[in-house]
Amino acid sequence: MKKEKSTFGWIFTFAGQKRSGYIASVILAVIGAAFQILPFFVMARVIGKLLAGNKDLAGYLIDCAVMAAFWLLRVLFHSLSTAQSHKATFAVLGNIRKQGLAKLAKMPLGDVQSRGSGELKNILVERVDSIEPTLAHVIPEMSSNAVVVLATFIYLLVLDWRMALVSLITFPIGMVFFMLMMAGYNKNYARTVAATNTLNDTAVEYIGGIEVIKVFGKAKSSYEKFVAAAKECAQSYIDWMNKSNFFFTFAMNIMPATLLSVLPIGGLLLKNGTLMPEKFVLIVILSMGLITPIIGCMKFIDDLAKVGTVIGQVTDILTASELSRPETDTQMPRDSTIELHNVHFGYGETEVLHGVNLTFRDGTVNALVGPSGSGKSTIAKLIAAFWDVGSGKITVGGADIRSISSEHYNKLIAYVSQDNFLFDNTVRENIRMGKPAATDAEVERAARDCGCYDFIMGLENGFDTVVGSGGGHLSGGEKQRISIARAMLKNAPIVIFDEATAYTDPENEAIIQESVARLVRGKTLIVIAHRLSTIVDADQIVVVNDGHIEAAGTQAELLQTCPLYETLWNAHIASRDSAEGGADRA
């Protein structure tokens, strides 16, 4: 996609096969506008007959019936026009959301997370929804209004070119006030957009962190932050409206007041005998409806600017960089050996991995250890293709992962993190996501093998228990165990555990460790763990420090050759002994 498209270029792209609905809407709107103009011609004939003293009541009734018929036809074609534009608009909104969500799945995870869930939700839900009235009405109404104005002005020129020009005198005067009202539009609108995004992010943060807020007594300060964001959002609109109201009032009252110029000047021309009475009466009637359609078009200017802003926000998402992956594989991995070749990577301008070279052999158990912030999780997430490397490359079975299609590569990796997400669905369906075609028996077997079958059966509805939004009805440990069962059901040849047992109690952790050891036999396993006692039997332990590989080897080798690992191990043992001593005293 090319971001250089105009707003309406994007809209017609989003409309897809429904774009013909907009074309049909314009045609129907123009026909409806014609029926809106025709009654004035009949009215002119009626005025002429009245001034001539014609007393044919039946003829007048026929004229009235004809005008009524024209009006009904105008309403009919206007309704048909808006129906077509609404169908096209709903296709536009639907396609924007579908393409937006599809794009998020292709973007690097870090880019998605940097935008904030509140901002993305606000753009793809509320802001996209807010442009529906404009898109559904702007095309038929602007088309019909433009035709009405043009036809009316041409008719006024035919009647008397002088009075046609006179009828426009109030328009430029009103436009001066309108332009004053629009001064600073971009700055004011940008403030409202920024304030709304801040409010959405603050609301999501406040609701999502309500448990922490209550536990640590931060309810007052957090609520004050939310209130401040809400006040700024409201104030941004209030300040804008206060600046605009004065000029808006003058603009909207002066522009349509055509009689201020038509009546006195027309009266003079009538007195001088250069304007016929029947024409004067008709000009007065036509001039009263000349500016209103123009104002109708102008009212969409602000709405169109908002549409442009929203489409701009949407296209910022749709044109964002994606993970570089082919549609089909250009290289095929020969096995599950993972190699990092001089990998550099950073978040923004800050590099966190500095030329990492590393190998995880096929079918081995590997552990990444090191101080917090050293780059362990970054390495794991690069292997899982949550981001692309800055430079260097990562290969699986000798194939650069950028040469493997996303669909294929996703089947090679099972990733379990400490912050696991469950969908608002049943336990069974959350586990089944690891293998959508799995039978109920396979789902239950995976749960049993991972040691979580018993606790699931203890839930209110067993495997059919709905876990709530984000798994909110379950404890942290329960969510982790279900996530592990989901990963095991996937049966991928490469398994990554990023502190996957962080929220699990020691008793269940032992069960999980035993289950995982059995289930990942023959697979390439990468474990990130702070509890070093859980990875003492790993085939390879990699010590990561400040974005560099400090050392790699077995437990015994590292204790002899790596001072940093020895320090980490001694700290772990001291912490464990202290915890066990405290438990014994309790």
Side-chain angles (χ1 to χ4, degrees):
M1 293 186 179
K2 293 186 178 180
K3 196 174 179 180
E4 289 75 16
K5 285 183 185 178
S6 66
T7 296
F8 278 98
W10 278 108
I11 289 171
F12 272 80
T13 299
F14 293 135
Q17 295 180 348
K18 295 291 186 180
R19 64 171 63 94
S20 60
Y22 283 128
I23 298 172
S25 176
V26 171
I27 295 172
L28 292 168
V30 170
I31 295 173
F35 284 117
Q36 186 175 345
I37 295 297
L38 288 175
F40 290 107
F41 290 93
V42 179
M43 192 181 300
R45 187 175 66 178
V46 170
I47 292 172
K49 289 194 296 184
L50 285 170
L51 293 174
N54 189 323
K55 298 181 179 180
D56 182 12
L57 181 60
Y60 289 131
L61 290 175
I62 292 173
D63 290 333
C64 290
V66 170
M67 285 190 285
F70 285 150
W71 175 256
L72 290 174
L73 287 170
R74 184 263 175 192
V75 172
L76 173 64
F77 278 92
H78 177 74
S79 299
L80 293 173
S81 174
T82 54
Q84 289 295 320
S85 65
H86 272 86
K87 290 179 181 178
T89 296
F90 288 131
V92 168
L93 303 188
N95 287 332
I96 285 176
R97 286 169 175 152
K98 289 176 183 177
Q99 292 181 31
L101 291 176
K103 180 69 177 188
L104 293 180
K106 298 176 182 178
M107 291 170 58
L109 179 63
D111 291 351
V112 176
Q113 291 177 329
S114 67
R115 292 173 180 262
S117 58
E119 178 187 350
L120 291 171
K121 175 254 186 187
N122 180 242
I123 292 172
L124 294 177
V125 180
E126 283 88 355
R127 290 205 169 278
V128 168
D129 200 51
S130 71
I131 66 177
E132 182 271 327
T134 302
L135 294 184
H137 293 277
V138 67
I139 291 180
E141 292 193 19
M142 285 194 74
S143 301
S144 60
N145 285 341
V147 170
V148 168
V149 170
L150 183 61
T152 302
F153 187 67
I154 291 173
Y155 191 25
L156 284 170
L157 288 172
V158 171
L159 291 172
D160 191 295
W161 66 270
R162 300 167 301 175
M163 293 303 298
L165 297 178
V166 166
S167 65
L168 294 178
I169 289 177
T170 58
F171 182 72
I173 298 174
M175 278 299 296
V176 171
F177 287 97
F178 185 81
M179 297 304 294
L180 291 172
M181 179 191 75
M182 295 297 291
Y185 174 86
N186 290 335
K187 179 181 178 181
N188 292 322
Y189 187 57
R191 180 188 172 191
T192 62
V193 171
T196 302
N197 287 340
T198 300
L199 176 60
N200 274 279
D201 288 340
T202 305
V204 170
E205 179 185 48
Y206 182 76
I207 296 170
I210 193 69
E211 181 178 350
V212 176
I213 290 169
K214 287 181 175 293
V215 168
F216 289 97
K218 296 295 183 182
K220 183 178 179 181
S221 60
S222 298
Y223 184 69
E224 286 174 351
K225 181 181 177 183
F226 174 74
V227 170
K231 286 183 177 179
E232 167 57 19
C233 184
Q235 197 63 43
S236 66
Y237 286 95
I238 293 171
D239 291 344
W240 191 5
M241 293 303 105
N242 286 338
K243 294 175 183 176
S244 304
N245 276 339
F246 176 81
F247 299 114
F248 176 80
T249 301
F250 274 85
M252 293 300 106
N253 281 279
I254 291 175
M255 277 193 287
T258 54
L259 294 183
L260 292 175
S261 57
V262 169
L263 287 179
I265 296 176
L268 288 174
L269 295 177
L270 182 64
K271 181 180 179 181
N272 294 335
T274 58
L275 180 63
M276 299 300 293
E278 59 271 20
K279 286 187 177 181
F280 178 56
V281 174
L282 186 57
I283 288 170
V284 169
I285 295 172
L286 290 173
S287 68
M288 292 174 65
L290 178 64
I291 304 300
T292 301
I294 297 178
I295 295 175
C297 291
M298 289 172 57
K299 76 178 182 180
F300 286 112
I301 293 176
D302 185 50
D303 294 330
L304 288 173
K306 292 179 181 178
V307 169
T309 299
V310 174
I311 294 298
Q313 292 174 328
V314 170
T315 55
D316 279 342
I317 296 173
L318 296 181
T319 57
S321 60
E322 300 180 2
L323 287 172
S324 177
R325 298 293 182 272
E327 291 293 326
T328 56
D329 300 341
T330 58
Q331 295 183 45
M332 291 293 292
R334 61 177 179 269
D335 57 24
S336 298
T337 296
I338 303 167
E339 294 179 278
L340 282 74
H341 304 270
N342 194 30
V343 169
H344 291 259
F345 177 77
Y347 301 104
E349 300 297 323
T350 306
E351 185 174 272
V352 295
L353 295 181
H354 318 291
V356 171
N357 291 284
L358 196 56
T359 299
F360 302 111
R361 299 292 178 192
D362 180 36
T364 60
V365 177
N366 305 271
L368 293 172
V369 301
S372 296
S374 59
K376 305 184 298 298
S377 292
T378 300
I379 291 174
K381 289 174 180 177
L382 286 174
I383 294 171
F386 288 172
W387 290 273
D388 268 333
V389 298
S391 64
K393 66 178 181 178
I394 298 175
T395 61
V396 172
D400 191 322
I401 65 173
R402 291 170 294 193
S403 67
I404 305 172
S405 68
S406 294
E407 182 179 1
H408 182 192
Y409 194 72
N410 287 337
K411 294 178 181 178
L412 300 178
I413 303 286
Y415 186 93
V416 185
S417 71
Q418 58 182 310
D419 298 316
N420 296 293
F421 185 86
L422 299 182
F423 291 90
D424 191 8
N425 207 329
T426 63
V427 172
R428 188 187 309 278
E429 294 307 316
N430 271 284
I431 296 176
R432 202 196 304 272
M433 290 189 71
K435 182 182 176 183
T439 64
D440 287 351
E442 288 177 309
V443 170
E444 293 174 14
R445 188 182 308 116
R448 195 184 299 275
D449 290 341
C450 287
C452 57
Y453 181 87
D454 291 339
F455 102 75
I456 292 174
M457 294 306 296
L459 298 174
E460 181 180 4
N461 296 308
F463 279 85
D464 296 316
T465 302
V466 176
V467 302
S469 178
H473 296 168
L474 303 178
S475 69
E478 290 170 339
K479 286 194 293 184
Q480 283 189 322
R481 292 161 71 184
I482 290 174
S483 297
I484 292 170
R486 179 168 60 192
M488 293 301 100
L489 180 63
K490 187 175 183 179
N491 196 30
I494 299 171
V495 181
I496 301 173
F497 282 170
D498 186 353
E499 278 296 313
T501 58
Y503 299 129
T504 307
D505 58 79
E507 180 182 354
N508 285 313
E509 182 180 17
I511 297 173
I512 293 173
Q513 293 287 351
E514 182 182 348
S515 302
V516 169
R518 183 172 63 254
L519 292 168
V520 301
R521 197 167 294 142
K523 302 180 187 295
T524 303
L525 176 64
I526 300 173
V527 179
I528 300 174
H530 289 103
R531 300 176 187 174
L532 300 187
S533 56
T534 62
I535 47 93
V536 292
D537 296 325
D539 298 310
Q540 178 182 225
I541 301 173
V542 178
V543 182
V544 186
N545 185 28
D546 194 25
H548 298 278
I549 304 303
E550 186 91 1
T554 62
Q555 161 88 354
E557 292 170 345
L558 292 177
L559 286 175
Q560 294 295 321
T561 61
C562 182
L564 175 58
Y565 184 78
E566 184 181 9
T567 299
L568 293 173
W569 175 257
N570 290 334
H572 170 69
I573 295 300
S575 175
R576 186 183 64 179
D577 291 344
S578 176
E580 290 176 353
D584 291 340
R585 287 192 297 273

